[in-house]
């Protein structure tokens, strides 16, 4: 055992033979002598510790308090210290002060031993388990020394507990003093990583940096808990790291001095920042959802589908892929969906739609009866529910008062944390349906007016077509009479002439019927038609006019079959109108002859009909307004033909376009309408 050259402490022979630890310090607390028993007790060799402040190295609680001249030069205390191996030691210490002749303090000699004598193997094992738990847990643990708090709290010795609390809360500066006096003497790795950003030395200081001003109340309440001998204190609190990062935490303090030692506190801190943020985000999301749900101007319903969810969770993958087969095999599922689904929540527009005064009246109402008039919709809805696909359909719902409404129903199926519900949006389209019906009637009237206009333009052709069979009827009748007037009468020749007469009469009847059909205003009657035959009939209507204008008409077909579903009269009107326009364009160019080609072709989804002429083409200002109602370039035109043609084509789900030819002069009109099944073709 050696001492520094300037040490004044004489070493007796028994210094290193004593079984008690002997520590000699100067007035600054620095070690000047350290015997072998101290080395064994604390784990520090004399070479390592001489010259250092003992309380800093051993994290003594309470630290050494130097006696005044008036106080006794010997005293005792119980001190908690941390050994070099991080073992916690409770020391029973006896102190003796040595003074110079002038009375000034020169050394403090300490004799110490572990309370309860030599530690057993089980106590060492218990301490090892504690230290392992302290440092290995994924929770921040701090060991605090609160002995420095005592002098500050002594200022309130004459106050009650409630007065102490109120006075501390009224004085943040005093609370800050208490925090500076609360020292961190140990911290586990998780605490150093979470609160110290890996800086262990920065962590082992006072607790003030970890407590923002808004959390001072929690710190004060933890001190009050210690004063009232509450063994455990837990509170949710906002804290900060050394770097200033906010941390939302669950703060727990173990305060029982019999467990943690006199002047010590063990605290555990669980960082719940991510959980708090997640809950806050979830709450905000729910609030946004509720605001959107209740402020939307369209009727919205939240349908509870928990019972359906329990049914669906047992579905196999192949059943989800083929829900039609599931419903065929298990028809009770549809009844189950109808019976168990109910309205969980509705907004104000939804209550108005269903004719009730408040949305709350709809809560708990079965959802199935709303579709009582449309079991087909209910079936398709069940299929969408099984497949978890978005559903949208125009259908009808029945209100609680029995009114049937035309609606657009959309439904999304949502799985939220295991709960299954449906969000339904309903738009009343009753007025729109009525408007569409009125529009259809108006469109039919326009089409009728256009047909009458076209028939006026075809009057010469009609007169010629009717005149031919009438003239033939007259000639055949006169010839038959002559054959009968002969002597003897030629019965065979008379029969032949009469047969011709009947045939011409039938031809005239067909012409008249065709003209009446074109002029008749009637509701469209969709049927399966062969587009090529419709085009042929339409060209027959204008054949005489074409000859008069010296225009050749040709029909070209590519592919096939050409089956569509449409009204025959309307489709013939479209083609005839486009052909007449093409012929008139050629005539307006003063050409001596012309050619109009009607083409019919088929693709996978559409049947296309084109009308191509070799006239002058479309002028730019005309091309832009070609399909506007009442726009015309003819002197006596009504401006309805092309507008009505486009309306008819669009009502069939198709389109009509016009453009100038790129291969020659002239225009090209094309309309496309969806294909139909060829089995019902009109041959």
């Amino acid at each position: 055992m050696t001492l520094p050259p300037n040490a004044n402490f004489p070493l007796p022979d028994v210094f290193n033979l004593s079984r008690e630890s002997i520590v000699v310090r100067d007035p600054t607390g620095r070690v000047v002598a350290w015997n072998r028993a101290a080395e064994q007790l604390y784990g520090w060799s004399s070479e390592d510790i001489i010259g250092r402040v003992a309380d800093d190295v051993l994290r003594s609680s309470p630290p050494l308090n130097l006696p005044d001249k008036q106080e006794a030069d010997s005293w005792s205390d119980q001190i908690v210290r941390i050994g070099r191996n991080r073992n916690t030691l409770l020391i029973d210490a006896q102190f003796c002060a040595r003074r110079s002749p002038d009375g000034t303090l020169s050394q403090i000699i300490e004799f110490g031993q572990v309370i309860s004598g030599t530690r057993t193997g089980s106590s060492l094992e218990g301490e090892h388990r504690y230290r392992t738990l302290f440092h290995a847990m994924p929770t921040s643990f701090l060991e605090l020394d609160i002995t420095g708090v005592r002098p500050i709290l002594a200022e309130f010795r004459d106050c009650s507990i409630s007065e102490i609390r109120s006075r501390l809360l009224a004085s943040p500066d005093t609370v800050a003093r208490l925090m500076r006096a609360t020292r961190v003497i140990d911290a586990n790795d998780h605490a150093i990583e979470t609160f110290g950003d890996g800086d262990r030395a920065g962590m082992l200081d006072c607790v003030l940096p970890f407590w923002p001003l808004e959390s001072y109340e929690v710190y004060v309440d933890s001190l009050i808990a210690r004063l009232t001998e509450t063994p455990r204190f837990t509170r949710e609190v906002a804290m900060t790291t050394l770097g200033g990062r906010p941390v939302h935490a669950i703060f727990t303090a173990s305060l029982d001095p019999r467990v943690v030692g006199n002047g010590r506190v063990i605290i555990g801190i669980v960082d719940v920042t991510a959980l708090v943020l997640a809950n806050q985000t979830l709450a905000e999301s729910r609030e946004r959802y509720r605001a959107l749900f209740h402020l939307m101007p369209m009727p919205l319903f939240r349908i509870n589908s928990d019972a359906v969810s329990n049914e669906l969770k047992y579905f196999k993958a192949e059943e989800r892929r083929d829900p039609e087969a599931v419903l065929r095999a298990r028809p009770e599922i549809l009844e189950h969906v109808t019976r168990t689904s109910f309205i969980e929540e509705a907004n104000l527009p939804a209550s108005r739609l269903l004719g009730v005064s408040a949305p709350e009246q709809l809560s708990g109402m079965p959802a199935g009866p709303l579709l009582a008039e449309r079991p087909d919709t209910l079936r398709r809805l069940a299929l969408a529910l099984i497949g978890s696909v978005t559903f949208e359909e125009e259908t009808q719902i029945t209100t609680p008062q029995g009114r049937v409404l035309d609606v657009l129903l959309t439904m999304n199926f949502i799985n939220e944390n295991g709960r299954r519900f449906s969000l339904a949006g309903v738009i009343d389209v009753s007025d729109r349906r009525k408007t569409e019906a009125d529009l259809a009637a108006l469109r039919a009237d326009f089409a009728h007016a256009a047909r009458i206009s076209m028939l006026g333009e075809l009057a010469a052709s009609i007169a010629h077509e009717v005149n031919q069979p009438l003239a033939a009827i007259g000639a055949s009748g006169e010839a038959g009479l002559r054959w009968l007037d002969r002597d003897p009468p030629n019965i065979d020749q008379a029969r032949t002439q009469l047969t011709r007469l009947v045939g011409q009469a039938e031809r005239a009847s067909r012409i008249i019927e065709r003209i009446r059909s074109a002029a008749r205003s009637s509701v469209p009657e969709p049927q399966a038609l062969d587009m090529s035959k419709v085009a042929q009939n339409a060209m027959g209507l204008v054949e005489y006019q074409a000859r008069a204008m010296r225009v050749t008409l040709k029909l070209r077909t590519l592919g096939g079959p050409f089956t569509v579903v449409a009204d025959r009269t309307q489709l013939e009107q479209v083609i005839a109108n486009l052909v007449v326009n093409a012929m008139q364009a050629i005539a307006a160019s003063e050409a001596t002859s012309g050619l109009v080609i009607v083409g019919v072709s088929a693709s996978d989804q559409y049947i296309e009909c084109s009308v191509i002429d070799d006239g002058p083409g479309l002028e730019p200002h005309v091309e832009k307004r070609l399909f506007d109602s009442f726009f015309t370039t003819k002197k006596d035109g009504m401006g309805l033909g092309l507008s009505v043609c486009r309306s008819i084509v669009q009502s069939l789900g198709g389109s009509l376009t016009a453009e100038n030819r790129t291969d020659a002069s002239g225009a090209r009109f094309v309309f496309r309408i969806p294909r139909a099944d060829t089995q019902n073709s009109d041959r």
Side-chain angles (χ1 to χ4, degrees):
M1 182 77 191
T2 59
L3 289 174
N6 60 349
N8 296 320
F9 181 75
L11 289 175
D13 294 336
V14 297
F15 183 75
N16 285 320
L17 299 177
S18 173
R19 296 179 63 181
E20 293 183 311
S21 69
I22 302 176
V23 180
V24 183
R25 284 176 275 193
D26 65 14
T28 65
R30 297 182 183 278
V31 178
V32 297
W34 183 268
N35 74 345
R36 289 196 183 96
E39 290 181 344
Q40 294 171 358
L41 178 60
Y42 297 113
W44 295 91
S45 67
S46 60
E47 288 81 4
D48 291 332
I49 200 165
I50 287 178
R52 299 172 66 182
V53 177
D55 287 343
D56 290 345
V57 176
L58 301 177
R59 304 177 196 172
S60 300
S61 178
L64 177 65
N65 288 320
L66 299 179
D68 294 334
K69 289 183 179 181
Q70 293 79 11
E71 295 179 335
D73 285 342
S74 62
W75 69 96
S76 62
D77 201 354
Q78 288 185 357
I79 305 170
V80 178
R81 287 180 174 152
I82 305 298
R84 188 169 191 175
N85 295 325
R86 292 188 174 181
N87 53 322
T88 303
L89 304 169
L90 181 59
I91 305 297
D92 186 7
Q94 303 292 325
F95 295 93
C96 178
R98 297 184 65 189
R99 298 185 181 275
S100 302
D102 60 358
T104 59
L105 188 65
S106 59
Q107 285 114 12
I108 301 99
I109 304 171
E110 174 194 325
F111 301 89
Q113 60 180 356
V114 177
I115 293 179
S116 300
T118 305
R119 291 177 294 170
T120 64
S122 61
S123 67
L124 288 172
E125 182 182 352
E127 180 181 308
H128 173 72
R129 284 199 300 267
Y130 162 74
R131 302 310 302 180
T132 300
L133 184 66
F134 185 85
H135 287 282
M137 284 288 288
T139 300
S140 298
F141 285 113
L142 301 177
E143 188 172 355
L144 307 180
D145 175 9
I146 61 171
T147 54
V149 169
R150 294 170 181 168
I152 302 174
L153 291 179
E155 300 172 9
F156 303 93
R157 63 173 60 90
D158 297 328
C159 299
S160 66
I161 293 297
S162 60
E163 288 175 331
I164 293 174
R165 184 179 187 276
S166 60
R167 289 180 62 180
L168 288 177
L169 293 179
S171 176
D173 291 341
T174 304
V175 178
R177 283 174 58 208
L178 290 167
M179 289 181 181
R180 292 191 191 95
T182 304
R183 314 293 297 182
V184 180
I185 59 176
D186 198 6
N188 69 348
D189 294 340
H190 193 273
I192 293 169
E193 186 67 29
T194 302
F195 287 91
D197 299 325
D199 181 8
R200 180 178 182 82
M203 283 288 296
L204 301 181
D205 199 349
C206 69
V207 299
L208 181 62
F210 308 116
W211 289 90
L213 184 62
E214 64 268 21
S215 299
Y216 277 20
E217 182 179 359
V218 176
Y219 174 83
V220 169
D221 286 343
S222 69
L223 289 181
I224 297 300
R226 178 62 181 250
L227 292 176
T228 56
E229 299 182 354
T230 303
R232 183 170 174 270
F233 174 83
T234 299
R235 191 73 62 83
E236 191 171 341
V237 65
M239 303 184 74
T240 55
T241 66
L242 285 179
R245 179 175 61 86
V247 175
H248 205 96
I250 302 296
F251 173 86
T252 300
S254 180
L255 303 170
D256 191 342
R258 294 171 297 179
V259 177
V260 298
N262 190 29
R264 296 295 177 94
V265 172
I266 300 292
I267 65 171
I269 305 172
V270 179
D271 184 356
V272 293
T273 305
L275 179 61
V276 170
L277 289 176
N279 288 336
Q280 183 179 354
T281 302
L282 179 61
E284 291 174 353
S285 177
R286 285 175 175 166
E287 188 61 32
R288 284 196 299 269
Y289 159 75
R290 292 192 64 80
L292 181 66
F293 186 89
H294 287 283
L295 295 178
M296 279 290 286
M298 70 176 291
L300 294 175
F301 300 86
R302 180 185 173 103
I303 311 295
N304 185 297
S305 307
D306 286 346
V308 179
S309 179
N310 291 333
E311 180 83 18
L312 295 182
K313 69 182 180 183
Y314 298 110
F315 274 39
K316 299 175 183 177
E318 56 269 21
E319 289 180 314
R320 291 184 179 276
R321 286 194 294 268
D322 190 5
E324 278 278 11
V326 175
L327 285 188
R328 284 195 301 270
R330 299 168 61 189
E332 70 276 5
I333 292 179
L334 189 59
E335 181 184 351
H336 182 67
V337 171
T338 306
R339 189 178 63 255
T340 58
S341 299
F342 63 90
I343 298 173
E344 196 171 55
E345 188 177 12
N347 63 359
L348 186 59
S351 64
R352 290 171 179 163
L353 178 73
L354 296 187
V356 298
S357 57
E360 293 76 17
Q361 293 179 256
L362 297 176
S363 297
M365 179 185 293
L370 293 176
L371 292 171
E373 294 290 325
R374 293 295 299 271
D376 56 323
T377 296
L378 191 59
R379 180 180 180 83
R380 287 188 290 272
L381 188 58
L383 292 174
L385 179 60
I386 294 172
S388 294
V389 295
T390 300
F391 176 83
E392 181 174 333
E393 182 176 299
E394 281 199 20
T395 184
Q396 292 176 316
I397 63 171
T398 305
T399 70
Q401 299 80 26
R403 289 191 307 124
V404 178
L405 303 176
D406 292 315
V407 298
L408 173 64
L409 171 65
T410 62
M411 191 169 290
N412 284 280
F413 307 101
I414 301 168
N415 199 324
E416 183 184 65
N417 298 326
R419 282 199 65 231
R420 190 180 180 92
F421 68 91
S422 307
L423 187 63
V426 182
I427 300 176
D428 187 354
V429 296
S430 301
D431 291 341
R432 195 186 81 185
R433 285 281 182 90
K434 183 179 182 304
T435 302
E436 287 176 351
D438 293 343
L439 242 128
L442 186 61
R443 187 185 297 119
D445 290 342
F446 268 126
H448 178 235
R451 285 197 297 274
I452 297 300
S453 174
M454 184 179 67
L455 288 174
E457 296 179 6
L458 298 178
S461 175
I462 293 168
H464 176 77
E465 287 203 57
V466 175
N467 188 57
Q468 279 187 331
L470 290 178
I473 288 170
S476 296
E478 290 174 359
L481 288 174
R482 285 196 301 270
W483 290 114
L484 289 175
D485 287 340
R486 291 199 177 187
D487 189 14
N490 192 332
I491 302 301
D492 291 336
Q493 288 292 340
R495 182 180 290 110
T496 300
Q497 293 301 323
L498 288 174
T499 301
R500 289 176 181 173
L501 185 149
V502 171
Q504 292 298 329
E506 289 177 349
R507 180 187 171 196
S509 177
R510 285 197 300 272
I511 292 172
I512 296 299
E513 180 58 34
R514 189 169 60 187
I515 294 169
R516 287 181 60 198
S517 175
R520 186 169 54 240
S521 175
S522 59
V523 177
E525 297 179 359
Q527 57 182 304
L529 303 171
D530 185 331
M531 178 73 88
S532 63
K533 292 185 178 180
V534 174
Q536 201 169 29
N537 290 340
M539 292 169 68
L541 281 172
V542 299
E543 185 178 2
Y544 175 77
Q545 190 175 5
R547 287 198 301 269
M549 292 179 161
R550 294 189 295 278
V551 173
T552 302
L553 301 181
K554 287 187 179 181
L555 176 64
R556 292 179 181 174
T557 59
L558 178 63
F562 309 107
T563 310
V564 296
V565 174
D567 179 82
R568 179 192 298 277
T569 302
Q570 286 188 341
L571 209 52
E572 287 181 356
Q573 177 182 353
V574 172
I575 298 173
N577 201 311
L578 295 177
V579 172
V580 169
N581 283 352
M583 293 190 302
Q584 289 175 344
I586 294 171
S589 67
E590 299 181 356
T592 57
S593 64
L595 174 64
V596 175
I597 301 173
V598 178
V600 180
S601 61
S603 64
D604 291 341
Q605 295 180 331
Y606 292 94
I607 301 298
E608 182 176 286
C609 181
S610 60
V611 177
I612 304 172
D613 65 67
D614 56 0
L618 304 171
E619 296 182 16
H621 74 281
V622 172
E623 188 175 358
K624 293 178 181 178
R625 301 188 57 195
L626 204 56
F627 298 102
D628 291 351
S629 298
F630 307 109
F631 174 77
T632 181
T633 58
K634 304 172 189 175
K635 279 185 180 181
D636 53 354
M638 295 174 61
L640 291 174
L642 289 177
S643 175
V644 169
C645 287
R646 172 172 274 189
S647 295
I648 292 172
V649 171
Q650 288 178 342
S651 70
L652 298 173
S655 61
L656 171 60
T657 59
E659 61 184 2
N660 284 316
R661 294 174 60 179
T662 56
D663 56 338
S665 63
R668 182 174 185 265
F669 286 74
V670 180
F671 69 89
R672 304 164 68 205
I673 57 177
R675 293 189 63 157
D677 189 353
T678 59
Q679 293 179 356
N680 298 319
S681 176
D682 180 21
R683 300 197 176 276

